Amino acid sequence: MPIALTFPPARISCFGRRVWLGLVITCGPAAGQTQFAEAPGLPTNGSSVVFGGALGDVDNDGDLDQVWCVPGATRMLLNDGRGQFTDVSQTQLYPSTLGGIAAAFVDLDADGDQDLVTINPDHIYINDGHGVFTLSPVDLGSSLGVSLAVGDVDGDGDEDLIVGNIGQNELFLNDGSGALALDTAGLPVVDDNSWSVVLGDVDGDGDLDLVVGNKTWPARPPSRLCVNDGQGRFSDAPFTQFPADPTGQVAAAALADLDGDHDLDVLLVAGGVQQSMLINDGGGQFIVADSARLPAFPIPLGSIQSLALGDVDLDGDLDCVLGTGGQCGLWGCADAYDLLWLNDGGGFFADTSMSRLRTIRTTRTVMLGDLDGDSDLDVMALGRSGPQLFTNRHRQLDTPQHANIGAQVSIDGYAEPGYGSAGFVTIPLLSRAEAYRVLAPHGTLRIDLAQGIRLTPAPVMPSLGRSTTRFTIPNDPSLAGRTIFVQAAIIDPMGAIRLTNSTAIMIH
């Protein structure tokens, strides 16, 4: 039974002091309003280049933390639940000086927490359950690994590992305790150049098959499908079953239900101007999709380096974010803009990059996840331009992180900025304390309503996709050092209530 979401009656006190509440509706052109906006405050610590990374809840507190692979080091960052990160590499990752170019979180030892695998060089870190990682004695050897995939390929209930190499790809089978051993008989013997490896059950037989995304230069085999026999033994499917472009320079691949028919399709994106979709008939037989399903490559173009799939606009289908770089080598020679392709639900994608994402950077790895706790997918981009977080403002709350006693504070509530319609209303909520309660289907309540106040409801202006509410911090020196926690409920034109992210304002 759904939980009813109610609000305390409006009051005009904050920490026992009178607060002046005011509603300010800002009108103006929609220029500059996009769905994704860069979030400040990432602890980069001078990391101007980040090769790869991964998202996962390493400390079991309900939010997504992240790891970055930087030159000569691995960095661990913990999330406070609001999308603010703290670098704990020196205290919670031992050692943090080994580096790598790609990473994945996976529970290797079946103890209910997320362990860490990095490749090139290859290392395993074991989580103690509280987000403290130590290097495992398991030796994966050395490789020229550039991609990795995790999953139970042999059906024994634990997580195995596939490393995509420049050379022979590798399969490591798990014994259930986290000890991984190289299985030389599991994969076809091929001199690959596999910049992407992905696992999924393409033929509906209950085991994980493998899609290998290859760059064919110089003289390497094309991308291909490897079918699992259920025991972790893979064999190459014929070209008639998986007709991937034999000349494709594939940098990223994905397996997902792109056209809404409940089987796994394949998206292959390649360096400069090549991209293709292979549609599954439900039994693992693929056909090349009509080129009209994918947008033409934009100009100025960059070299696509990675992709991530997820429902960024909450319409029930999978959209695509592509990380792009320049056109020279691994990192490119000049910045380009990352791409956002929206799915219409039937597997036809439209390029909305300039109106919704609008980034100028060089991206090596792009990741999607709810990093600020508002139940929509944010974009984490890593690359030569450093790490950057772009929060999804489909339903979003922005406030300053600091405010002086006696200052006026603005609360901005976003709803479909630049692409929505009229009828949204924002109800800002202030509290002196945090909380954590999942209120399906509204989202997660992250402030304590019993110690809170409700501000004046504010209509979202369609021209901006934004409402602005202002209040004044009481002019009382005793409030210095206190924190105000802010969240909002956004009501859509149909009356559905959605909780935003929460923020914290430190009073000085």
Side-chain angles (χ1 to χ4, degrees):
M1 179 178 179
I3 300 174
L5 186 63
T6 60
F7 305 104
R11 288 177 272 167
I12 54 172
S13 63
C14 181
F15 301 119
R17 302 296 187 270
R18 179 171 294 275
V19 180
W20 294 98
L21 305 180
L23 169 64
V24 178
I25 300 175
T26 307
C27 300
Q33 299 300 324
T34 58
Q35 181 174 350
F36 291 89
E38 183 176 355
L42 276 179
T44 60
N45 292 346
S47 297
S48 59
V49 173
V50 184
F51 295 112
L55 301 176
D57 183 7
V58 304
D59 50 3
N60 291 313
D61 63 350
D63 53 47
L64 290 177
D65 311 298
Q66 54 182 316
V67 67
W68 299 340
C69 298
V70 304
T74 306
R75 298 184 56 198
M76 185 73 65
L77 297 97
L78 294 187
N79 191 345
D80 68 354
R82 298 187 298 267
Q84 300 297 313
F85 290 87
T86 301
D87 189 338
V88 296
S89 307
Q90 299 302 312
T91 58
Q92 293 187 216
L93 185 66
Y94 303 101
S96 61
T97 56
L98 299 178
I101 69 168
F105 286 118
V106 55
D107 185 8
L108 289 174
D109 51 5
D111 62 351
D113 56 45
Q114 296 294 297
D115 307 304
L116 174 65
V117 179
T118 62
I119 60 169
N120 198 359
D122 302 346
H123 296 290
I124 296 173
Y125 298 84
I126 299 299
N127 190 344
D128 70 351
H130 304 286
V132 178
F133 291 78
T134 54
L135 189 65
S136 167
V138 174
D139 184 7
L140 297 180
S142 60
S143 70
L144 293 176
V146 287
S147 60
L148 72 163
V150 294
D152 181 12
V153 303
D154 54 0
D156 63 352
D158 53 43
E159 301 293 332
D160 308 303
L161 173 68
I162 292 178
V163 177
N165 283 321
I166 302 175
Q168 173 65 43
N169 293 334
E170 295 172 312
L171 168 61
F172 295 90
L173 294 181
N174 193 344
D175 69 356
S177 69
L180 295 173
L182 179 64
D183 182 1
T184 57
L187 296 177
V189 178
V190 180
D191 187 22
D192 279 307
N193 189 11
S194 302
W195 287 75
S196 187
V197 287
V198 288
L199 289 167
D201 183 8
V202 304
D203 49 10
D205 63 353
D207 55 42
L208 295 177
D209 307 300
L210 173 68
V211 170
V212 177
N214 273 348
K215 292 187 177 182
T216 58
W217 184 91
R220 301 294 175 121
S223 300
R224 64 189 193 279
L225 170 66
C226 299
V227 178
N228 191 346
D229 68 356
Q231 304 299 315
R233 297 291 182 266
F234 293 86
S235 58
D236 286 331
F239 181 80
T240 54
Q241 181 180 351
F242 191 79
D245 181 357
T247 65
Q249 304 296 324
V250 172
L255 263 175
D257 181 12
L258 300 176
D259 55 1
D261 63 352
H262 308 293
D263 55 39
L264 297 181
D265 310 301
V266 175
L267 182 61
L268 302 173
V269 293
V273 297
Q274 298 168 314
Q275 59 267 338
S276 62
M277 184 192 304
L278 301 177
I279 300 297
N280 192 344
D281 70 353
Q285 175 69 49
F286 291 85
I287 62 171
V288 178
D290 188 281
S291 61
R293 285 182 177 269
L294 298 177
F297 204 89
I299 300 295
L301 59 83
S303 174
I304 294 178
Q305 303 283 354
S306 63
L307 70 87
L309 296 176
D311 185 7
V312 303
D313 53 0
L314 301 178
D315 64 350
D317 54 44
L318 293 176
D319 310 300
C320 183
V321 178
L322 300 106
T324 64
Q327 301 178 63
C328 303
L330 176 64
W331 294 107
C333 299
D335 288 348
Y337 56 85
D338 295 333
L339 304 177
L340 173 58
W341 293 350
L342 292 187
N343 192 343
D344 71 350
F348 287 82
F349 289 83
D351 186 359
T352 62
S353 310
M354 297 307 292
S355 62
R356 296 208 189 195
L357 186 57
R358 203 180 303 167
T359 67
I360 301 295
R361 53 170 290 112
T362 299
T363 298
R364 173 66 178 85
T365 300
V366 64
M367 304 181 291
L368 281 172
D370 179 16
L371 296 176
D372 56 2
D374 61 352
S375 302
D376 57 30
L377 296 177
D378 309 300
V379 174
M380 189 69 215
L382 309 174
R384 191 184 66 184
S385 303
Q388 287 179 294
L389 169 60
F390 298 92
T391 55
N392 189 341
R393 299 194 296 185
H394 196 69
R395 307 284 189 274
Q396 184 75 18
L397 181 76
D398 284 347
T399 67
Q401 296 182 14
H402 303 274
N404 293 325
I405 293 170
Q408 189 178 74
V409 176
S410 294
I411 301 173
D412 291 330
Y414 291 90
E416 302 181 3
Y419 57 92
S421 57
F424 291 92
V425 175
T426 301
I427 304 176
L429 309 165
L430 309 182
S431 180
R432 70 180 74 186
E434 293 184 283
Y436 184 89
R437 186 181 181 190
V438 177
L439 298 179
H442 310 295
T444 301
L445 183 65
R446 295 181 177 272
I447 65 173
D448 186 354
L449 292 181
Q451 302 186 58
I453 63 173
R454 182 189 69 189
L455 303 189
T456 307
V460 174
M461 302 306 297
S463 61
L464 292 174
R466 186 186 73 205
S467 66
T468 300
T469 304
R470 292 175 181 159
F471 72 98
T472 301
I473 304 292
N475 193 12
D476 183 345
S478 69
L479 296 179
R482 298 282 193 96
T483 300
I484 298 175
F485 300 99
V486 189
Q487 194 171 14
I490 294 182
I491 304 175
D492 72 15
M494 302 301 293
I497 299 172
R498 169 84 180 278
L499 290 168
T500 68
N501 58 302
S502 65
T503 66
I505 305 173
M506 174 66 73
I507 303 175
H508 299 283

